Amino acid sequence: MNTWIRVIILNLFFAGLSVAALAQPDGMARIEGGTFMPFYSSTEDSITVDPFYLDKFAVTNAEFLEFVKANPEWRRSNVKSVFAEDGYLKHWAGDLDLGSDAEKIKNSPVTNVSWFAARAYAQWRGKRLPTLYEWEYVASASHDKPLASRDKEFVQKVLDWYSRPNPETLPRVGQGKPNVHGVYDMHGLIWEWVQDFNTVFISGESRGDQGELKQFYCAAGSSAASETDKENYAAFLRFAFRGSLEADYSVGNLGFRCAKDNQ
Amino acid sequence: MNIRPLVIAILAMAIMFGACSGNDGEREQQSKKQMAAGDHTAHAQMKMASEEPTDESIYNVSSIWLNRYGQKVKLGSLRGKVQVVAMVYTHCEFACPRILADMKRIRDRLSEEELKATNFVIVSIDPERDIPERLRNFASENELSDTNWTLLNGGQGDILELAALLGVKYKKISETDFTHSNIITVLNKEGEVAHQRKKLDDDPTPIVKNIKVLTS
């Protein structure tokens, strides 16, 4: 009888452990839900984000190498051109070769990956790409505030990065301070793909020209005096960048990180 | 006054690509891509008989869709005919009826022979409401025959993927409405994007010409 109880207790213990493991997927931060204001919105339409998990770090070259090893169809020489343009992984020396700088770049974020490739990687990991709103919500946090878009210092840092040219090789991930969610490098390292990047309207199409688009331009074009406008400008740049992308583009400073539903 | 937002947008882009990308290859790649587009038709015909979709074919996707009868369909099953594709939602009151009307107008300008080699595809961006039953009703209300029209319902991620492949942008803006690109895409028999009509008020003549060439 006693042994049975022990077995049951042990089982409960391990069940508990695995639940804990499920609750906090490896290398991911739990993002508590919340509400934020996209830069173009008026006070009435704040956006609510449900709880989810987000990778603490952008996906690195070494991690992406594992993916292409396991999925030959995503190697540079095999990839279908409809899913990735010519520059796909062009900073690597070969299909499975990071090149002479391998040591230097293995922990740097992978870039030159198309949206299709990023999405396939996420699916292979049992994850998905974050939505635009999820990404923007986490990106609006500073190291000590969940919503720092009105924080002068934070806003200035983001803008400073936007105006700096790219370094020759990207630094490794996770060097700075994490933000309040425990997530690193939302600003200052690379631009990142989001799942629904193609929901951003930038050219005159459909009814967008009447509503959203006008708000975009007004937000960005208003006099650049106050901090609010500056923050708007930083977010406007991100939205403008996304709006300029096609899903097969491979860009030298555009990478990604993965997200996961809260279950 | 109207030029100002445009100038700002162009400036913003210039800043983006100047300051942030430092990506020399980008423009070069773009133009290479455009050059490569010229070879596609020849390429497609050469590979016509093979099983694998061509590299530029959107039939490389593995997504599974439901047609108006609730039957499972892969996009690859559309291979072999020229496809005229639009992504819309059936509850749309503004742009979509015009897109559909344009598709019909295109259809009416094709010969019987050309019509045999052409199919029209309507992909819903509103999968929750545009279930097969709704698509069936929509088809009969608008007299969309089985022989020339395919209506598809799919998963959110698969719709986003197809939209990405076609360069279509869309976004849910309220409980009932979407904003979306008004693009009509012509796919050649291999499923490669051969031509796109991007704006509602564009003349259908070029698109009709294109289909005539592709079906011949």
Side-chain angles (χ1 to χ4, degrees):
Chain A
M1 213 42 190
N2 246 344
T3 28
W4 277 115
I5 289 170
R6 246 183 243 158
V7 167
I8 289 167
I9 288 174
L10 262 181
N11 271 334
L12 283 177
F13 177 71
F14 282 117
L17 270 188
S18 54
V19 166
L22 274 180
Q24 190 78 41
D26 256 4
M28 300 188 94
R30 186 187 154 83
I31 311 297
E32 297 303 332
T35 303
F36 80 112
M37 306 267 300
F39 75 99
Y40 53 82
S41 54
S42 56
T43 33
E44 290 90 53
D45 42 20
S46 59
I47 300 290
T48 301
V49 171
D50 292 329
F52 70 106
Y53 293 99
L54 187 66
D55 281 352
K56 289 180 186 166
F57 309 108
V59 173
T60 63
N61 282 301
E63 287 168 326
F64 204 79
L65 182 60
E66 281 175 51
F67 165 68
V68 297
K69 275 183 182 162
N71 299 275
E73 71 272 25
W74 288 104
R75 292 176 193 171
R76 211 166 68 174
S77 60
N78 292 346
V79 72
K80 299 271 183 179
S81 57
V82 71
F83 292 137
E85 63 174 11
D86 283 351
Y88 177 63
L89 294 176
K90 70 170 175 199
H91 62 296
W92 291 9
D95 267 2
L96 303 173
D97 183 2
L98 299 188
S100 52
D101 277 345
E103 273 311 303
K104 219 162 130 194
I105 68 166
K106 68 176 184 188
N107 293 321
S108 301
V110 66
T111 56
N112 290 315
V113 285
S114 66
W115 177 82
F116 296 107
R119 186 168 175 260
Y121 174 95
Q123 281 173 348
W124 177 67
R125 290 273 188 211
K127 300 178 182 177
R128 60 174 172 81
L129 294 178
T131 66
L132 192 154
Y133 287 143
E134 285 171 343
W135 197 96
E136 284 290 325
Y137 174 66
V138 176
S140 67
S142 66
H143 68 95
D144 60 353
K145 289 193 204 87
L147 298 174
S149 31
R150 301 288 176 266
D151 180 324
K152 244 188 193 169
E153 204 189 326
F154 173 73
V155 168
Q156 195 53 52
K157 256 195 217 159
V158 174
L159 282 177
D160 284 350
W161 172 58
Y162 287 168
S163 59
R164 262 201 315 273
N166 266 1
E168 287 242 338
T169 39
L170 289 165
R172 65 183 168 84
V173 299
Q175 281 183 318
K177 242 188 198 177
N179 72 12
V180 73
H181 303 289
V183 176
Y184 292 77
D185 306 322
M186 292 300 278
H187 305 286
L189 192 57
I190 47 165
W191 300 85
E192 295 183 14
W193 283 112
V194 293
Q195 177 177 285
D196 48 349
F197 81 95
N198 56 350
T199 60
V200 176
F201 281 79
I202 208 73
S203 56
E205 292 179 291
S206 183
R207 286 183 282 183
D209 11 352
Q210 292 310 310
E212 191 174 358
L213 195 72
K214 203 167 138 205
Q215 287 174 327
F216 272 21
Y217 291 136
C218 292
S222 56
S223 66
S226 70
E227 296 90 75
T228 324
D229 289 335
K230 271 195 180 171
E231 158 59 13
N232 286 348
Y233 191 64
F236 168 77
L237 285 179
R238 290 196 294 274
F239 276 73
F241 179 62
R242 289 184 194 118
S244 73
L245 293 171
E246 300 281 348
D248 65 338
Y249 279 15
S250 304
V251 179
N253 58 351
L254 177 61
F256 68 103
R257 72 180 74 215
C258 306
K260 205 171 182 173
D261 288 340
N262 174 48
Q263 271 165 3
Chain B
M1 209 51 197
N2 265 338
I3 297 174
R4 195 161 171 239
L6 199 81
V7 171
I8 292 162
I10 290 167
L11 274 178
M13 294 300 161
I15 293 167
M16 317 259 36
F17 289 114
C20 326
S21 105
N23 185 352
D24 36 59
E26 198 142 36
R27 208 156 293 166
E28 200 186 328
Q29 272 167 33
Q30 283 278 87
S31 58
K32 248 193 257 161
K33 215 173 170 183
Q34 274 155 11
M35 267 158 52
D39 310 335
H40 277 157
T41 23
H43 191 61
Q45 275 159 4
M46 216 168 60
K47 279 204 171 177
M48 193 71 101
S50 68
E51 285 291 307
E52 274 266 298
T54 60
D55 277 12
E56 275 294 311
S57 171
I58 70 161
Y59 301 151
N60 281 299
V61 299
S62 50
S63 50
I64 292 170
W65 304 70
L66 295 178
N67 65 16
R68 69 180 99 163
Y69 304 107
Q71 295 157 330
K72 288 183 182 166
V73 187
K74 275 193 158 192
L75 294 185
S77 65
L78 300 171
R79 198 175 177 186
K81 280 190 180 187
V82 172
Q83 303 290 338
V84 183
V85 188
M87 299 184 75
V88 297
Y89 63 110
T90 66
H91 290 81
C92 172
E93 286 166 0
F94 174 65
C96 310
R98 287 186 57 188
I99 294 175
L100 181 62
D102 282 348
M103 290 172 90
K104 285 183 167 177
R105 214 166 294 142
I106 292 164
R107 178 197 60 189
D108 294 344
R109 287 174 61 173
L110 298 176
S111 71
E112 204 174 310
E113 208 53 32
E114 286 155 356
L115 262 180
K116 270 187 200 156
T118 308
N119 185 56
F120 294 80
V121 186
I122 289 177
V123 181
S124 171
I125 54 174
D126 183 13
E128 280 164 32
R129 287 191 297 171
D130 285 338
I131 53 174
E133 193 186 355
R134 165 78 191 176
L135 295 177
R136 201 158 61 236
N137 291 338
F138 182 80
S140 65
E141 276 164 28
N142 291 285
E143 297 174 344
L144 309 178
S145 72
D146 271 320
T147 43
N148 279 111
W149 295 83
T150 305
L151 291 83
L152 297 176
N153 165 288
Q156 292 285 9
D158 298 332
I159 298 170
L160 266 178
E161 182 184 50
L162 182 60
L165 285 165
L166 300 179
V168 168
K169 302 188 173 188
Y170 71 93
K171 181 180 188 167
K172 196 167 185 167
I173 49 171
S174 72
E175 277 312 302
T176 51
D177 279 303
F178 292 77
T179 176
H180 57 92
S181 319
N182 297 314
I183 296 179
I184 297 178
T185 303
V186 178
L187 301 175
N188 67 18
K189 292 178 181 174
E190 281 299 313
E192 301 168 338
V193 174
H195 182 82
Q196 290 195 309
R197 195 214 60 170
K198 301 216 168 173
K199 279 186 278 175
L200 269 183
D201 39 10
D202 281 359
D203 174 24
T205 309
I207 208 170
V208 171
K209 251 191 208 158
N210 235 282
I211 297 169
K212 286 181 183 288
V213 171
L214 291 171
T215 51
S216 64

